[in-house]
Amino acid sequence: LQARRLVHIVLFSRATHQQAMSDVGLRVSCAREALLKADAVCFDVDSTVITKEGIDELAAFLGVGEQVAALTAQAMGGDVPFHEALANRLKVMQPSRQQVEQMLAQHPPSQILTPGVHAFIAALKARGKRVFLVSGGFRQMIEPVAKAVGVPASDIFANNLLFDAAGVFSRHDETEPTSRKGGKAKVVVDLKAQHDFKTVVMIGDGATDMEARDVPGGADAFIGFGGVVVREKVKAGADWFVHDFDVLLHVLD
C-alpha cells in the first residue's frame, strides 16, 4: 500500500511539473487560441525545426567553425550590423556549391529534425493551416528540411547563396528580407498582407523570431521554443514558451 501511494505521489508530481512547464508565458491562453484559429504558422528553422544551427554546421564542415563562432558572438552582442555580420561570416566560409552539396549528403537534415516537429506540422496542414519556414539560414540547406516536413519550397523565406557557373561562391542575395535586421518580422507582415491572413503564429527559439510579434501588422502570437536551447530573453518575452512540440500538438486535438 505504501509503495502504491509512493507511485501515485511520483506520478502526481510529474504531472504537476509538466503542467507548470507548459504554462510558461505572458499570454498562454491567447497563444493557444491563436494557434487553434491560425490561418498560418511560421517556423524558425535552426534550433527549432532542426536541432542544429545550419551556419555553424557548415562552418565546422569547412574547417572554420571557431572563426565563424567568434563572428557570430560579435553579431549577438550587437557590435556589428546584422547584414554585415552575415557577409563577414560568409567571407570567412566561402562555401562552394559542391561543398554545400557534399555536406548535405554526409549530414542529411532529415536526420536532425527536432522530435515531434514532423507530426505537429502534419497536424497543422491537416487542419488547413498554411506552414512557412522563415529563417536567417541558407535556402540550399533549408530546402531538404522543408521536403522532410512536407513544406513546399515556395513557402521558404531564407537567405540564398549565389555561385558562379563553376560553383564558386560569389555572394549572398542581399534582396532577401532575412539578410537584414528585422527581416523575419517583415516576412510575416508581408505574408499577412498578401494572403489576407487574419491570424498568424510565429514559433522559434530566438529574439529575431519574437520580433515578428512586436511590429505593426506582425504575428498575432509568438510561441518560444526551448526544446533545443533556452534563451532567457525569449522565455521571458514569449506569449507561450514550450520545450516540446507534443504540447502544441495536444492543443490541436
Side-chain angles (χ1 to χ4, degrees), residues 130-154:
R130 191 90 173 263
V131 174
F132 296 91
L133 302 184
V134 184
S135 173
F138 306 125
R139 174 174 290 275
Q140 287 82 354
M141 300 173 69
I142 290 170
E143 284 181 350
V145 175
K147 185 176 181 180
V149 296
V151 173
S154 58

Side-chain angles (χ1 to χ4, degrees), residues 61 101-108 111:
F61 181 80
E101 291 172 352
Q102 187 180 7
M103 184 211 156
L104 291 172
Q106 292 182 17
H107 307 280
Q111 294 182 1

Side-chain angles (χ1 to χ4, degrees), residues 68-140:
V68 169
L71 291 169
T72 299
Q74 278 185 352
M76 291 288 191
D79 299 328
V80 182
F82 184 88
H83 66 282
E84 283 186 26
L86 178 60
N88 289 343
R89 284 177 283 181
L90 285 171
K91 200 177 292 182
V92 170
M93 293 164 65
Q94 293 284 313
S96 69
R97 181 189 286 117
Q98 291 83 354
Q99 286 173 320
V100 173
E101 291 172 352
Q102 187 180 7
M103 184 211 156
L104 291 172
Q106 292 182 17
H107 307 280
S110 59
Q111 294 182 1
I112 54 173
L113 290 180
T114 301
V117 72
H118 189 284
F120 178 51
I121 289 177
L124 290 171
K125 292 173 64 183
R127 287 157 180 77
K129 302 179 190 299
R130 191 90 173 263
V131 174
F132 296 91
L133 302 184
V134 184
S135 173
F138 306 125
R139 174 174 290 275
Q140 287 82 354

Side-chain angles (χ1 to χ4, degrees), residues 26-50:
L26 300 176
R27 303 184 306 154
V28 175
S29 60
C30 291
R32 283 179 173 149
E33 185 179 346
L35 185 60
L36 274 172
K37 66 181 186 181
D39 301 302
V41 178
C42 297
F43 288 80
D44 175 41
V45 176
D46 295 339
S47 296
T48 299
V49 175
I50 61 174

